Amino acid sequence: MKLAGRFAPAGTAGLRIAGPLALAAALLLVGGVLAILSLGVGSAGIEPVWRMLADPVASQIVWDIRAPRTAGAFAAGGLLGLAGAVAQGLFRNPLADPFLLGSASGASLGVALALAAMGVSPFAAEWIVRLGLTGAAFLGAVLAVALTLTLARGVQHTLRLLLAGVVVGVVLGSLTSLVMLTTPQILQAMQAFMLGSTAFLGWTSAVLMLGVGLACLVPALALSRALDGLALGEATALSLGLPMAPVRAVMVAVIALATGAAVAQAGLIAFVGLAAPHLVRAVLKTRHAPLLLLSSLMGGVLLLLADIVARGLLAPQELPVGVVTALLGGGYLLWLMRRRGDE
């Protein structure tokens, strides 16, 4: 299939690719190379991982700290990439991202309230500690999406759902700022959450996100033909007999669950969900079924690459991974906009 087209990068005209399987294999290969590289990145810079495995102490660091962080970064990126592809297909907008339904703002408010409760009331702190910041973030994300659905009066109208998500995001974001203003002692912890971090990902987090990713991918792939029909227009999709209301409900649930799990574990990580589907479409024009899977793989590769850069660029100092993804993703989208403007 030709790469030339509106989203094709410069210099790729005439280049051909075997298809989705070839791209999936390439992404898995790149992901494997990045994973090996990630295992060797630490405070001292980049070290050959095979040398570290020969040392018992260094080997324990690799398997107990760097390996789960590597797997968790790939899983979180995969969740965001999948949610981004579903959101762009559902809203028929290439600029849609996984946070459009208010999940990011809800998660931020949940974490802010949990941190404030821990420092204000011992009684509140007791059950907040049991819930945990991860649980508070996930609960906040889910409740924000539920509020969006309530304001939109269900999932019948895509535009109303989109507008409700924007309103919920703005309001909850303002409430988060108010909580931080009234309890300034939580500012540092909130900054770490809002900039995103993979530093505290363990095997439990990685396995949880991989499980959630599989649970989201299965229904998304099962209903991918409905997204193909929706791409032709709302009226066309209805004329084809597609059950759009149930499809929207399932897709919104996929977006909420995927983004909620990723944000709860790794914080707010920008642009991965937005850029991953764009990069896939830049290489390969395909239906939604391969696009969803490839976007998930691309998201994992992007976040893993960003995590390596965040750890190794200024070692031993570590950059917030959300800053790196914003720079990489934002730079790519600006280049894409400029290129499309010149056509």
Side-chain angles (χ1 to χ4, degrees):
M1 181 178 289
K2 273 192 173 183
L3 296 184
R6 173 174 289 187
F7 294 101
T12 60
L15 183 64
R16 295 179 180 274
I17 190 169
L21 288 178
L23 181 56
L27 289 173
L28 288 173
L29 178 61
V30 172
V33 172
L34 290 176
I36 295 174
L37 184 62
S38 176
L39 294 177
V41 178
S43 59
I46 300 177
E47 306 173 57
V49 66
W50 50 88
R51 291 184 184 175
M52 297 189 65
L53 293 177
D55 181 359
V57 176
S59 177
Q60 187 174 6
I61 293 175
V62 169
W63 292 116
D64 293 346
I65 299 176
R66 297 183 186 175
R69 179 172 183 169
T70 298
F74 190 88
L79 286 172
L80 293 174
L82 173 62
V86 172
Q88 291 175 16
L90 179 63
F91 295 114
R92 290 183 292 150
N93 189 338
L95 294 180
D97 76 353
F99 301 148
L100 272 180
L101 296 179
S103 56
S105 299
S108 298
L109 180 59
V111 170
L113 290 174
L115 289 171
M118 288 178 186
V120 173
S121 169
F123 177 77
E126 183 178 350
W127 66 268
I128 286 293
V129 168
R130 292 180 182 178
L131 179 64
L133 294 181
T134 298
F138 183 78
L139 182 61
V142 172
L143 291 178
V145 174
L147 179 58
T148 298
L149 293 176
T150 302
L151 293 178
R153 299 177 185 175
V155 295
Q156 287 78 13
H157 302 285
T158 303
L159 180 58
R160 183 185 294 171
L161 188 64
L162 179 61
L163 293 176
V166 172
V167 171
V168 168
V170 171
V171 172
L172 296 187
S174 300
L175 292 176
T176 302
S177 299
L178 180 62
V179 173
M180 290 191 294
L181 183 64
T182 55
T183 52
Q185 64 268 25
I186 70 171
L187 286 176
Q188 186 174 1
M190 280 301 300
Q191 184 181 41
F193 175 80
M194 297 178 75
L195 292 178
S197 176
T198 58
F200 304 105
L201 294 177
W203 282 119
T204 302
S205 299
V207 172
L208 175 63
M209 286 190 289
L210 288 171
V212 171
L214 181 61
C216 291
L217 188 61
V218 170
L221 290 177
L223 298 176
S224 61
R225 293 184 64 183
L227 292 179
D228 293 335
L230 188 60
L232 302 175
E234 190 91 17
T236 303
L238 291 173
S239 68
L240 293 174
L242 296 173
M244 293 313 303
V247 167
R248 286 196 196 93
V250 173
M251 291 305 180
V252 167
V254 167
I255 295 172
L257 185 59
T259 55
V263 169
Q265 300 295 332
L268 301 184
I269 298 177
F271 277 105
V272 171
L274 179 61
H278 274 278
L279 288 171
V280 172
R281 287 193 293 264
V283 178
L284 184 66
K285 303 297 174 61
T286 184
R287 297 175 295 106
H288 274 90
L291 177 64
L292 296 175
L293 180 58
L294 292 171
S295 296
S296 183
L297 293 175
M298 183 68 77
V301 169
L302 285 177
L303 188 52
L304 189 53
L305 174 62
D307 187 49
I308 293 172
V309 173
R311 284 188 282 161
L313 186 62
L314 298 178
Q317 183 179 357
E318 182 175 322
L319 296 173
V321 69
V323 173
V324 178
T325 59
L327 291 174
L328 294 177
Y332 168 74
L333 292 176
L334 287 174
W335 171 85
L336 183 63
M337 291 173 61
R338 180 175 180 180
R339 183 179 178 277
R340 290 182 62 183
D342 293 339
E343 290 181 352

